[in-house]
Amino acid sequence: MTSTKDFETFLNANPNAAFHDWLRESAEPYWTKATAHRFTEELAEGTLDPQICARYLVQDYAFVDSFVSLLGYAVAYAPSMPQKRPFAGFLAAVTSEENDYFLRSFQALEVPESEWRSPQLAPVTAKLLSVLQDSGRSGSYPLVLATLLAAEWSYLTWGLACGDRRPQEFWMAEWIDLHAVPEFERFVTWLRDETSRVGTTAPPEVQQQMCRTFCHMMELEERFFDHAYEPEAGC
């Protein structure tokens, strides 16, 4: 498939494609760089430096707070109960099992509480939070879908790419599991289908807005992994 500037042209060239295919193709090369990153490969192989993992998790935990708020907006903006229910279920999982994983990992990696409770945000983290907050406050269900899809579909992609590889350390193995379990895959599949359902019939200007947001998110996702390898960033 060939990436194009608008969905209609893309669909004419790829009649069997879906709206989410256009989003992914438009986000290259950031999509591939983020979903096949050095970080995720080292994570799967169990060779990820603990300090790098700690630096990443501290920033990601800061991301989660705004992400949870965005899920709340998704519940509010979803047009009916069948759309609200998957978001509500995923929101419950993030605020329970995933939150517990973070707290146990910080303890195992000896991250001081002051660092994960009040972290110094990296520039890329601040930009990600800004995108989440802007999408949430936009009042736009399509924009919220595009933002969430970029974050969750990319993580499912690298999670599944890990295959059966699981390091001995739980703070690496469980991070893979959280993004490769069937429950998460079902949610992301539904989210992808819902984004395509909404995006396919959206006005061209809304489609373009969704595409710009998705692409910007993927650019930031790659940079977010890159940041973990920057020693000057601190823990």
Side-chain angles (χ1 to χ4, degrees):
M1 291 185 287
T2 302
S3 178
T4 56
K5 292 184 179 181
D6 64 86
F7 177 59
E8 183 179 2
T9 304
F10 175 82
L11 196 60
N12 287 336
N14 305 278
N16 295 321
F19 183 81
H20 62 259
D21 293 318
W22 175 60
L23 295 179
R24 184 192 60 218
E25 289 291 319
S26 298
E28 291 293 0
Y30 304 116
W31 172 269
T32 297
K33 290 182 177 180
T35 58
H37 198 278
R38 170 188 174 189
F39 181 95
T40 61
E41 184 61 24
E42 291 180 357
L43 183 71
E45 291 296 327
T47 58
L48 187 64
D49 186 293
Q51 288 188 335
I52 291 174
C53 189
R55 189 178 302 130
Y56 164 85
L57 289 177
V58 166
Q59 295 297 310
D60 199 79
Y61 196 57
F63 172 88
V64 165
D65 185 66
S66 291
F67 184 75
V68 166
S69 296
L70 184 61
L71 285 171
Y73 281 114
V75 174
Y77 297 158
S80 64
M81 197 59 68
Q83 285 83 31
K84 293 178 185 291
R85 189 177 300 114
F87 289 123
F90 188 56
L91 178 58
V94 173
T95 55
S96 55
E97 291 97 335
E98 188 164 326
N99 187 68
D100 176 68
Y101 159 81
F102 275 108
L103 299 183
R104 289 185 293 109
S105 296
F106 290 144
Q107 183 176 18
L109 291 165
E110 300 181 347
V111 178
E113 184 174 348
S114 59
E115 291 189 13
W116 58 262
R117 281 199 182 275
S118 301
Q120 180 178 352
L121 295 182
V124 65
T125 307
K127 290 179 180 178
L128 275 167
L129 299 189
S130 179
V131 175
L132 298 188
Q133 292 161 4
D134 289 346
S135 295
R137 296 166 184 162
S138 69
S140 169
Y141 183 54
L143 190 57
V144 169
L145 286 173
T147 306
L148 289 173
L149 183 62
E152 301 310 283
W153 188 14
S154 61
Y155 269 52
L156 173 67
T157 300
W158 70 251
L160 293 179
C162 292
D164 295 329
R165 295 176 294 174
R166 292 295 183 276
Q168 291 185 346
E169 294 84 355
F170 81 86
W171 38 269
M172 288 192 282
E174 289 187 23
W175 191 237
I176 298 172
D177 286 337
L178 282 168
H179 299 100
V181 292
E183 294 82 1
F184 182 62
E185 185 172 7
R186 282 194 294 271
F187 171 73
V188 175
T189 299
W190 173 84
L191 178 61
R192 195 168 54 205
D193 292 343
E194 178 69 359
T195 303
S196 283
R197 183 188 70 81
V198 171
T200 297
T201 57
E205 60 270 21
V206 175
Q207 293 178 339
Q208 288 294 333
Q209 187 181 32
M210 293 174 74
C211 187
R212 286 194 300 270
T213 298
F214 187 92
C215 293
H216 187 40
M217 279 289 293
M218 290 315 307
E219 179 183 3
L220 293 176
E221 291 287 3
E222 181 205 353
R223 290 166 56 189
F224 192 72
F225 282 134
D226 288 343
H227 168 268
Y229 292 88
E230 301 170 5
E232 67 274 13
C235 209

